[in-house]
Amino acid sequence: MRLDKFVCKSTELTKQEAIQWIQNGEVKVNGEVIVDERAQVHENNQVTLNGQRLKRRPFRYILMHKPADTICSNIDEFYPSIFNHIDVENVTELHVAGRLDADTTGLVLITDDGHWSFNIITPTKHCEKVYRVGLSKPIAEDAASKFENGIKLQGEKRLTLPAKLEIISEKDVYLTITEGKFHQVKRMFSAVGNRVVSLHRERIGEVCLDVNVGQWRFLTESEVQSFSG
């Protein structure tokens, strides 16, 4: 973790205030003055500010049922932020591990632990994301094999990673992917001649959506650890 972030997560200082204390030589790591706010701090390091030892606040891990017409940004824009629904302290420290579009609903995972969220969003970790997809036209018979073999998206050089398509009805399917390219699900169906009319995320890894729209809860320890591999 960067030193300025560690100071912020151990105090009530803003990022700019933390940087100022660091650059003024008031922060020590293992007894050595560090003036570079970008320096990395590890869990076993002892960090002091003006002689007082700092202790980082525990990381938080949250599951939320994202409503339609909300955004995963930390601030309101054209649509309101999902963080308006979350009543916790220091909410600005949180981020979404794998954003959803404004019109997409369902499961989002929220944290202030960057290493943990990396395990969710990086394709090399093969973390499954399961979506229920409503389509404008009946799904083509050969769509499942095309998704399994990878889809060539417009503007992309590489095929998508293998994806699993399960047909519920002719216009209603489940799609499981392990990556998260920009508008990926919508672009995949567009590439096979269809259009997504509704999109809802039901599962990430081993964690399933189990709260009502707009509601949230903290993850259990076992759920948190399921993404730590």
Side-chain angles (χ1 to χ4, degrees):
M1 179 183 294
R2 279 175 50 131
L3 180 57
D4 55 351
K5 185 174 182 180
F6 182 92
V7 173
C8 288
K9 284 191 64 62
S10 308
T11 66
E12 297 303 320
L13 295 175
T14 66
K15 181 177 181 180
Q16 203 54 47
E17 290 169 340
I19 291 174
Q20 192 64 54
W21 278 98
I22 294 167
Q23 293 181 346
N24 287 345
E26 299 294 340
V27 176
K28 294 182 178 181
V29 179
N30 297 331
E32 178 184 354
V33 173
I34 303 295
V35 295
D36 183 359
E37 68 275 8
R38 299 167 298 177
Q40 290 295 309
V41 177
H42 305 287
E43 286 193 22
N44 60 346
N45 291 155
Q46 179 175 306
V47 181
T48 59
L49 170 64
N50 199 23
Q52 298 295 313
R53 184 168 183 178
L54 301 182
K55 184 177 181 180
R56 175 184 56 78
R57 292 186 289 275
F59 288 127
R60 294 165 292 176
Y61 307 93
I62 293 170
L63 172 157
M64 181 182 175
H65 189 156
K66 178 187 175 296
D69 298 328
T70 58
I71 56 174
C72 293
S73 169
N74 288 69
I75 58 173
D76 295 335
E77 297 176 14
F78 181 79
Y79 292 107
S81 166
I82 62 169
F83 289 95
N84 292 323
H85 294 269
I86 300 177
D87 183 21
V88 296
E89 294 183 353
N90 305 109
V91 69
T92 57
E93 295 180 357
L94 298 170
H95 65 270
V96 174
R99 296 185 173 196
L100 295 177
D101 296 337
D103 60 345
T104 302
T105 60
L107 173 60
V108 290
L109 297 179
I110 300 168
T111 186
D112 47 8
D113 183 347
H115 179 74
W116 185 82
S117 60
F118 176 81
N119 289 338
I120 295 172
I121 63 177
T122 184
T124 58
K125 296 293 185 178
H126 304 289
C127 178
E128 292 186 343
K129 292 88 176 175
V130 179
Y131 296 84
R132 185 160 184 164
V133 188
L135 300 170
S136 64
K137 299 189 299 185
I139 190 70
E141 291 184 2
D142 61 350
S145 61
K146 287 183 176 180
F147 278 55
E148 177 64 29
N149 293 326
I151 299 290
K152 180 70 166 62
L153 301 180
Q154 185 176 4
E156 301 279 349
K157 294 182 179 180
R158 297 181 179 179
L159 298 178
T160 59
L161 294 176
K164 181 181 180 182
L165 185 70
E166 299 176 72
I167 298 175
I168 304 169
S169 66
E170 62 177 14
K171 294 184 180 180
D172 195 15
V173 301
Y174 283 119
L175 180 67
T176 302
I177 61 176
T178 57
E179 54 188 342
K181 297 179 184 293
F182 182 68
H183 295 322
Q184 179 171 341
V185 174
K186 295 174 182 177
R187 293 165 68 199
M188 290 177 76
F189 282 98
S190 177
V192 296
N194 215 318
R195 182 172 63 86
V196 172
V197 296
S198 64
L199 188 57
H200 180 81
R201 188 159 63 192
E202 296 194 353
R203 178 170 66 84
I204 301 176
E206 299 176 11
V207 177
C208 296
L209 185 62
D210 61 0
V211 297
N212 294 328
V213 177
Q215 300 299 304
W216 64 274
R217 66 170 176 84
F218 288 107
L219 294 183
T220 66
E221 183 62 26
S222 63
E223 288 173 330
V224 173
Q225 292 303 319
S226 71
F227 297 106
S228 298

